[in-house]
């Protein structure tokens, strides 16, 4: 039987050692505010083979996989990021291109969020 907690633990176990600390930055209309505490995300490059002609992802964009418990543990609860928001990785701010809660979910249970950023 499907157990979402088991899948979340697997993501934490396998991605944890490979993760980097990232900070969400919410656009307040004139600048950006850091949102709550940093979370951990697996940060990789999109590969050329992942690209779709005419798609929104470009070579050089970064792919972040953020396990859901990291997002849920932030206080206050974390909102869905939009195109106007940013994510800071290693001291550098990247623009959010795509926020995807469906790719790494099973049924109604989101296991991790996949985010594409550009900077």
């Amino acid at each position: 039987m499907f157990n979402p907690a088991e899948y979340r633990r697997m993501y934490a176990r396998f991605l944890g050692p490979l993760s980097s600390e990232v900070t969400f930055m919410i656009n307040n209309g004139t600048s950006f505010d850091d949102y709550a505490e940093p979370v951990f995300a697996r940060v990789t490059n999109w590969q050329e083979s992942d690209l779709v002609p005419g798609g929104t992802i470009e070579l050089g964009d970064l792919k972040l996989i953020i396990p859901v418990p990291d997002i849920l543990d932030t206080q206050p609860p974390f909102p869905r990021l939009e195109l106007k928001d940013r994510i800071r990785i290693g001291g550098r701010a990247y623009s959010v291109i795509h926020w995807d809660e469906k790719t790494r979910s099973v049924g109604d249970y989101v296991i991790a969020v996949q985010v594409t950023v550009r900077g």
Side-chain angles (χ1 to χ4, degrees):
M1 175 160 207
F2 170 72
N3 180 352
E6 184 177 327
Y7 281 85
R8 289 179 176 151
R9 281 192 301 273
M10 286 184 345
Y11 263 75
R13 186 172 64 240
F14 290 113
L15 294 181
L18 305 172
S19 295
S20 302
E21 189 173 87
V22 301
T23 304
F24 298 119
M25 303 165 60
I26 307 299
N27 187 322
N28 65 19
T30 57
S31 65
F32 296 92
D33 296 323
D34 286 1
Y35 193 87
E37 297 297 318
V39 298
F40 287 90
R42 172 73 170 125
V43 181
T44 60
N45 291 308
W46 283 99
Q47 301 299 311
E48 189 172 354
S49 61
D50 297 325
L51 304 180
V52 175
T56 58
I57 299 170
E58 298 177 1
L59 199 57
D61 289 350
L62 297 177
K63 173 174 48 174
L64 283 66
I65 301 171
I66 308 166
V68 165
D70 284 342
I71 295 172
L72 295 179
D73 288 343
T74 61
Q75 293 298 324
F78 190 73
R80 187 174 198 270
L81 288 181
E82 300 177 6
L83 291 176
K84 63 184 177 180
D85 298 321
R86 306 279 184 267
I87 295 179
R88 185 180 309 115
I89 306 166
R92 183 174 175 191
Y94 293 83
S95 299
V96 173
I97 302 302
H98 186 67
W99 179 272
D100 178 6
E101 298 170 351
K102 301 295 183 195
T103 298
R104 296 174 186 276
S105 64
V106 179
D108 292 335
Y109 298 96
V110 179
I111 306 302
V113 176
Q114 185 168 297
V115 183
T116 300
V117 296
R118 182 175 297 151

